[in-house]
Amino acid sequence: MTATRNLPGLDVSRETLSALQAYESLVQRWNTAINLVSKGTLADFWMRHVVDSAQVFTFCPEKAQTWVDLGSGAGLPGLVVAIIARELRPGLRVTLVESDLRKATFLRQAAQALELCVTVLSQRIESVPALSADVVSARALAPLADLLGFADQHLARDGVAIFPKGARYETEVVEARKAWSFDVVRQPSHSDAEAALLVIRNIRRAQD
């Protein structure tokens, strides 16, 4: 285990770090056949993808029982969350929603290889019946205004949405407020000094 392979803000075992490295190896192997992540990010996969996804877990409420990751793609952050939750929150049920059948196949195969108990729904987000999740996440999926629409559909009334966003996150917040009312806390990113995690509650349409 290399000294740099750690997770800021999380105290996890060597077994969990090893599982995350095994997950990284699976993505590297599958990426030659399926474009799971940009090839240019593979060399710095741990920081760009694992740390970036793991930090989302740090804002999981203590009483959360269900986590839904929308547009999971390579399992970022969904599979990373499931690996960490196995140790730190073993009762948390994780559901991954991914409409691309090839990526959904990867998610199922990776979950099986890593012995993770997750549910993979290979459907469009809009067509999935309301999931009433305690936590909803999405990474590199859509503008914030669209994400709030998805969260409004799948989040429990007192749930929290956690969306990692890049340098333009303030612009996205301003745009989203034209259609939505919501409470947001901006958390600094451990993986990108210009990025932030938007922790959002009380989502409702602006005219409501």
Side-chain angles (χ1 to χ4, degrees):
M1 187 70 61
T2 60
T4 56
R5 295 298 174 96
N6 54 33
L7 301 176
L10 289 169
D11 183 15
V12 298
S13 65
R14 180 169 302 194
E15 288 75 19
T16 292
L17 291 174
S18 294
L20 289 167
Q21 286 188 292
Y23 163 68
E24 176 182 350
S25 297
L26 285 169
V27 175
Q28 299 264 8
R29 191 180 317 143
W30 278 67
N31 211 62
T32 58
I34 303 174
N35 187 28
L36 293 170
V37 299
S38 170
K39 292 181 180 178
T41 67
L42 290 175
D44 192 25
F45 189 91
W46 187 265
M47 180 60 68
R48 292 285 297 273
H49 297 299
V50 175
V51 170
D52 192 58
S53 295
Q55 64 183 340
V56 177
F57 182 84
T58 64
F59 302 105
C60 179
E62 289 187 10
K63 294 183 179 180
Q65 296 183 342
T66 54
W67 184 303
V68 172
D69 186 44
L70 303 174
S72 292
L76 301 162
L79 283 181
V80 173
V81 165
I83 291 169
I84 296 169
R86 179 167 56 189
E87 176 185 352
L88 301 184
R89 198 71 61 81
L92 187 68
R93 300 191 302 276
V94 179
T95 298
L96 315 178
V97 182
E98 175 52 57
S99 62
D100 185 304
L101 295 180
R102 296 182 305 163
K103 292 178 180 178
T105 297
F106 165 76
L107 293 172
R108 293 189 178 98
Q109 293 289 330
Q112 182 177 10
L114 297 167
E115 299 181 342
L116 297 172
C117 185
V118 301
T119 299
V120 179
L121 302 178
S122 49
Q123 300 171 252
R124 291 184 61 81
I125 296 167
E126 303 90 330
S127 66
V128 176
L131 295 170
S132 297
D134 296 317
V135 183
V136 165
S137 62
R139 178 177 181 267
L141 177 63
L144 181 60
D146 294 339
L147 294 179
L148 293 174
F150 297 149
D152 185 53
Q153 178 182 352
H154 293 297
L155 196 62
R157 182 178 296 275
D158 57 350
V160 58
I162 310 172
F163 300 136
K165 281 293 180 181
R168 296 185 66 256
Y169 66 88
E170 285 293 0
T171 299
E172 290 199 41
V173 169
V174 171
E175 286 297 312
R177 289 203 184 280
K178 296 177 181 178
W180 297 95
S181 172
F182 54 94
D183 299 329
V184 58
V185 176
R186 300 155 179 83
Q187 300 286 356
S189 171
H190 290 298
S191 60
D192 183 347
E194 295 185 344
L197 282 80
L198 303 182
V199 182
I200 300 175
R201 291 178 169 85
N202 301 320
I203 301 167
R204 55 197 181 279
R205 294 193 180 275
Q207 65 269 25
D208 290 352

